[in-house]
Amino acid sequence: MPHKLKKHATKKRAKKTVSLSKFRKLVVPRPDVLHGYLRHDEINLYLEYLQNRYSFVTVHTLGQSYERRALKAIEIDWNSEKNMDRIERHRTRRTYMDKTGTAPPPPPPSTNRVQSTFHSRNMIFIEGGTHAREWITIAVALNCIYQLTEKHIRNYELLRKLRFIIVPVTNPDGYEYTFTKNRRWRKNRRPISHTRHIGTDCNRNYDFHWEDGPSKVTRNTYKGVKPFSEPETRAIRNILQKNKQHLLFFLSLHSYAECIMYPWAYCKELPETWQKLEKLALTGRNAIKAYNGRHYRVGSIAILSKRRISGSIVDYAFGVIQVPLALVMELPSHTLGFQPPAESISPIGHESWLGIREMCKVAYDLVPPCLYPAETLLSNTATTKDQTAQLQRANMKITKQHPTSTIDKQPFYDAALPLINNDVLKNTQVPVKC
């Protein structure tokens, strides 16, 4: 009898050991993102760690570099369906336990959540590491990710209004090359056809005035054989195109000129909305200056840099994707170079985040999210099912006529006015404010 009990206990311990070993395989360690420069694999490990831990985080693989490294982006969306379901389950469970003292029954296997009918520009896109040697841009991008995920409670008001897509390493091949071979390397690592040279400047490879000006294959600023010749720029182009109707603010991180700049880069002329862009840049500058006294210069890219840059990502985002707000943030500093020492990473990351956070808040106010004007009308003027159906048909017709642009520039009620009786609109205001 004791022999049987001993055998049974041994089997039980074996099962427990197996289950624990399976659990350990699921645990993803957390790299230290605040006080050192992570390698590309460690960065991807950190993104995986966040995705496993938080229901409002999703990691996307945008493509692969020439050397087959994954180019990943992290999406932080507090209002995602997955996170809202989790919050609702937690709230229901807490309420039920407060009343009964027992756990609630499990929810039905599938519930059809009513999707929001609102269309808005509420997405912030941040990219870093376009130039391989600018390690501090990747550290700052990771600091932004850290603040929006691990410190999400203190940034709840920001997350409640805005979605974020952050690409911390746009040029993974070049970044890894700077660790192993040449710390001053700037370009990617794809060989140039019919030459012995390697690498293209990813910030000269976008299809916006790409053809302007010469570009020598021997230069650090070589623009490539054609627009989007590089897998990295094609990957960024695809995600921008996919989210173009929702993008509110595009921010490209570079170093080390200590300035916040807006388009254009290809010429010294200013865009029509330059005053709005300058106001946004000044917001970031003032926030950083108030924090530690560091002074950032503000102006257009071509004027501040004293050169014309063709095929840049910011010009492409602003001119082709038509993101309302697009800036370049050149991080500190002249004395520290592209790769500041480890003790400077956290201070620079923190001060940069304060400026970026304030710019995101102001961006939301400068270009407020726009409802589909049809929804505004339906909620304010349509009183019958027939009128609602008529407005929906008119909305579909206009959407087909303008498939790639938001309708916020043309108030929907101008098109829908003949469909609505005068007595419905009498003494009724229809605010379509965009």
Short mmCIF file of all heavy atoms in Angstrom, two decimals, residues 51 58-63 71-75 165 239 242:
data_model
loop_
_atom_site.label_atom_id
_atom_site.label_comp_id
_atom_site.label_asym_id
_atom_site.label_seq_id
_atom_site.Cartn_x
_atom_site.Cartn_y
_atom_site.Cartn_z
N GLN A 51 2.73 42.61 -26.06
CA GLN A 51 1.54 42.02 -26.68
C GLN A 51 0.95 40.91 -25.80
O GLN A 51 -0.27 40.77 -25.71
CB GLN A 51 1.87 41.46 -28.06
CG GLN A 51 0.68 40.85 -28.78
CD GLN A 51 1.02 40.45 -30.19
OE1 GLN A 51 0.37 40.87 -31.15
NE2 GLN A 51 2.03 39.63 -30.37
N THR A 58 -1.13 45.36 -30.07
CA THR A 58 -1.01 44.40 -31.18
C THR A 58 0.29 44.68 -31.90
O THR A 58 0.63 45.83 -32.17
CB THR A 58 -2.18 44.53 -32.16
OG1 THR A 58 -3.42 44.44 -31.45
CG2 THR A 58 -2.13 43.44 -33.22
N VAL A 59 1.02 43.62 -32.22
CA VAL A 59 2.28 43.75 -32.95
C VAL A 59 2.05 43.27 -34.38
O VAL A 59 1.52 42.18 -34.60
CB VAL A 59 3.40 42.94 -32.28
CG1 VAL A 59 4.68 43.02 -33.11
CG2 VAL A 59 3.66 43.47 -30.88
N HIS A 60 2.44 44.11 -35.35
CA HIS A 60 2.29 43.79 -36.77
C HIS A 60 3.66 43.58 -37.40
O HIS A 60 4.59 44.35 -37.12
CB HIS A 60 1.57 44.91 -37.52
CG HIS A 60 0.23 45.26 -36.93
ND1 HIS A 60 -0.89 44.50 -37.14
CD2 HIS A 60 -0.16 46.29 -36.14
CE1 HIS A 60 -1.92 45.04 -36.51
NE2 HIS A 60 -1.50 46.13 -35.89
N THR A 61 3.78 42.59 -38.24
CA THR A 61 4.97 42.40 -39.05
C THR A 61 4.73 43.03 -40.41
O THR A 61 3.87 42.58 -41.17
CB THR A 61 5.32 40.91 -39.20
OG1 THR A 61 5.54 40.35 -37.91
CG2 THR A 61 6.58 40.73 -40.04
N LEU A 62 5.44 44.11 -40.70
CA LEU A 62 5.20 44.88 -41.92
C LEU A 62 5.89 44.28 -43.13
O LEU A 62 5.49 44.53 -44.26
CB LEU A 62 5.70 46.32 -41.73
CG LEU A 62 5.20 47.06 -40.48
CD1 LEU A 62 5.74 48.47 -40.47
CD2 LEU A 62 3.69 47.05 -40.41
N GLY A 63 6.93 43.51 -42.91
CA GLY A 63 7.69 42.94 -44.02
C GLY A 63 9.05 42.48 -43.51
O GLY A 63 9.27 42.37 -42.30
N LEU A 71 10.50 43.46 -39.92
CA LEU A 71 10.23 44.87 -39.65
C LEU A 71 8.88 44.95 -38.96
O LEU A 71 7.84 44.69 -39.57
CB LEU A 71 10.23 45.65 -40.96
CG LEU A 71 9.99 47.16 -40.89
CD1 LEU A 71 11.07 47.83 -40.07
CD2 LEU A 71 9.91 47.76 -42.27
N LYS A 72 8.90 45.31 -37.67
CA LYS A 72 7.68 45.22 -36.87
C LYS A 72 7.20 46.60 -36.41
O LYS A 72 8.00 47.50 -36.18
CB LYS A 72 7.91 44.32 -35.66
CG LYS A 72 8.16 42.86 -36.05
CD LYS A 72 8.00 41.92 -34.88
CE LYS A 72 8.10 40.47 -35.34
NZ LYS A 72 7.85 39.53 -34.24
N ALA A 73 5.88 46.69 -36.26
CA ALA A 73 5.25 47.89 -35.72
C ALA A 73 4.34 47.48 -34.58
O ALA A 73 3.75 46.39 -34.59
CB ALA A 73 4.44 48.60 -36.80
N ILE A 74 4.24 48.32 -33.58
CA ILE A 74 3.34 48.07 -32.47
C ILE A 74 2.17 49.03 -32.54
O ILE A 74 2.34 50.23 -32.76
CB ILE A 74 4.08 48.21 -31.11
CG1 ILE A 74 3.16 47.82 -29.96
CG2 ILE A 74 4.68 49.59 -30.92
CD1 ILE A 74 3.87 47.70 -28.62
N GLU A 75 0.97 48.49 -32.43
CA GLU A 75 -0.26 49.30 -32.43
C GLU A 75 -0.81 49.32 -31.01
O GLU A 75 -1.03 48.27 -30.40
CB GLU A 75 -1.29 48.73 -33.39
CG GLU A 75 -2.57 49.54 -33.44
CD GLU A 75 -3.58 49.00 -34.43
OE1 GLU A 75 -3.26 48.04 -35.16
OE2 GLU A 75 -4.71 49.55 -34.48
N ILE A 165 0.60 54.02 -33.68
CA ILE A 165 1.40 53.01 -34.36
C ILE A 165 2.84 53.50 -34.32
O ILE A 165 3.14 54.60 -34.76
CB ILE A 165 0.95 52.79 -35.81
CG1 ILE A 165 -0.41 52.08 -35.84
CG2 ILE A 165 1.97 51.95 -36.58
CD1 ILE A 165 -0.92 51.76 -37.23
N ILE A 239 1.91 50.46 -44.87
CA ILE A 239 1.14 50.70 -43.65
C ILE A 239 0.58 52.12 -43.63
O ILE A 239 -0.52 52.36 -43.12
CB ILE A 239 1.97 50.40 -42.38
CG1 ILE A 239 1.05 50.41 -41.16
CG2 ILE A 239 3.11 51.38 -42.21
CD1 ILE A 239 1.72 49.96 -39.88
N LYS A 242 -2.44 52.02 -45.89
CA LYS A 242 -3.54 51.29 -45.27
C LYS A 242 -4.29 52.14 -44.26
O LYS A 242 -5.52 52.01 -44.12
CB LYS A 242 -2.97 50.03 -44.59
CG LYS A 242 -4.03 49.16 -43.92
CD LYS A 242 -3.38 47.94 -43.29
CE LYS A 242 -4.43 47.08 -42.57
NZ LYS A 242 -3.81 45.89 -41.93
#
